[in-house]
Amino acid sequence: MNFIGIIPARYASTRFPAKPLALLGGKPVIERVYEQVYGVFDDVYVATDDERIEAAVKSFGGKVVMTSAAHRSGTDRCAEAYRKVGGEFDVVVNIQGDEPFIQPSQLKTLKACFDDPATQIATLVKPFNATNGLDALENPNSPKVVVGRNGNALYFSRSIIPFLRGKDRQEWLSSHTYYKHIGLYAYRSQVLKEITALPQSPLELAESLEQLRWLENGYVIKVGISDVETIGIDTPQDLARAEKFLQEHFQQL
């Protein structure tokens, strides 16, 4: 099987404008993401709607494709980028442009989900642990995932799921394995074409989570489990945390 990695990156983020160009350890965030992904897949592109991001990617030698500014989601942007890039790939991998610490081992775990020929879509999760604290579990910017015994996602939510009835909230992390969603997806190329033709669904609109559209329409999302800690960057405060994380754990980068 051959895989193409596409990194959607837009300039006009509501919570953190110009986020892909923010400096992390002296390099733009988008460059950090590209470096982590390069070499794992058969090809890698950044997909953007902004000429400033396009110029930044070209300046560090990356591949970039310009896409519409009207997309509803990163998946829609990936679909357009894939059409423009051309070529025939079995699987398209969507790596969010705000995940500068995504590791090759995680991407390989995602690829391995397609060893099962029935896999349509795949994503990654990481178990929360007690050291994360209840604040991390309650953070609505960090979606939670419930996974079935067959390794498929049952539901994603910004709320804490499941609710542990009869347990003090402070005991939840020590009483149950909660899964944090890691923001990347992989889709068989035909499935990507299909899901981006679907209208937004009620659950997607309620939670602002595009993957709920796919579940509502009967698609199956295979879940790979990773123990690698990452820090997604949604806000300027997250960037400060990421800078500290970089200094403490990835000084060589």
Side-chain angles (χ1 to χ4, degrees):
M1 297 183 68
N2 56 0
F3 293 75
I4 182 171
I6 297 178
I7 308 169
R10 64 191 185 97
Y11 191 91
S13 169
T14 303
R15 286 175 291 181
F16 193 173
K19 177 172 57 177
L21 302 182
L23 294 182
L24 175 60
K27 295 180 181 180
V29 168
I30 192 62
E31 182 175 358
R32 293 281 180 190
V33 179
Y34 195 95
E35 288 176 342
Q36 295 300 96
V37 175
Y38 186 79
V40 178
F41 303 120
D42 299 282
D43 211 348
V44 179
Y45 279 82
V46 172
T48 188
D49 59 1
D50 191 274
E51 293 179 353
R52 289 162 289 191
I53 296 174
E54 179 189 34
V57 174
K58 288 181 176 179
S59 73
F60 62 74
K63 293 182 178 181
V64 60
V65 57
M66 291 296 290
T67 55
S68 168
H71 289 305
R72 299 171 300 181
S73 68
T75 299
D76 293 324
R77 194 176 305 283
C78 277
E80 182 190 353
Y82 178 60
R83 291 194 301 270
K84 287 188 170 181
V85 167
E88 293 295 329
F89 292 88
D90 298 299
V91 177
V92 181
V93 185
N94 171 357
I95 306 98
Q96 290 191 11
D98 56 8
E99 289 280 349
F101 302 112
I102 202 74
Q103 294 296 300
S105 63
Q106 294 174 295
L107 301 175
K108 291 173 183 176
T109 297
L110 191 69
K111 288 173 68 175
C113 291
F114 290 88
D115 292 345
D116 180 351
T119 299
Q120 298 176 301
I121 304 169
T123 194
L124 282 189
V125 300
K126 179 186 181 297
F128 284 93
N129 57 59
T131 60
N132 294 131
L134 194 58
D135 287 347
L137 187 64
E138 292 178 333
N139 181 2
N141 292 325
S142 181
K144 275 62 70 174
V145 191
V146 172
V147 182
R149 290 186 180 275
N150 57 2
N152 296 331
L154 298 176
Y155 193 72
F156 297 77
S157 182
R158 296 185 183 278
S159 298
I160 301 176
I161 51 173
F163 179 92
L164 294 194
R165 185 180 180 189
K167 287 278 187 182
D168 185 274
R169 210 172 182 86
Q170 298 299 325
E171 299 176 4
W172 282 13
L173 277 170
S174 60
S175 302
H176 180 80
T177 301
Y178 287 91
Y179 291 106
K180 166 188 175 180
H181 185 222
I182 297 174
L184 72 161
Y185 304 101
Y187 335 79
R188 292 194 187 271
S189 54
Q190 179 58 34
V191 170
L192 176 60
K193 181 179 179 181
E194 293 170 4
I195 63 176
T196 50
L198 296 170
Q200 288 186 290
S201 69
L203 289 176
E204 175 189 9
L205 292 169
E207 297 246 25
S208 190
L209 295 173
E210 61 177 328
Q211 59 270 39
L212 294 177
R213 183 196 327 173
W214 315 333
L215 290 180
E216 279 192 87
N217 282 279
Y219 288 88
V220 176
I221 304 176
K222 178 69 72 176
V223 174
I225 299 176
S226 171
D227 287 322
V228 178
E229 185 60 70
T230 64
I231 295 179
I233 299 175
D234 293 306
T235 66
Q237 292 74 24
D238 290 336
L239 181 64
R241 289 174 54 235
E243 188 73 44
K244 181 179 179 183
F245 188 79
L246 178 69
Q247 293 171 1
E248 292 176 351
H249 299 279
F250 298 95
Q251 293 181 352
Q252 72 277 20
L253 300 178

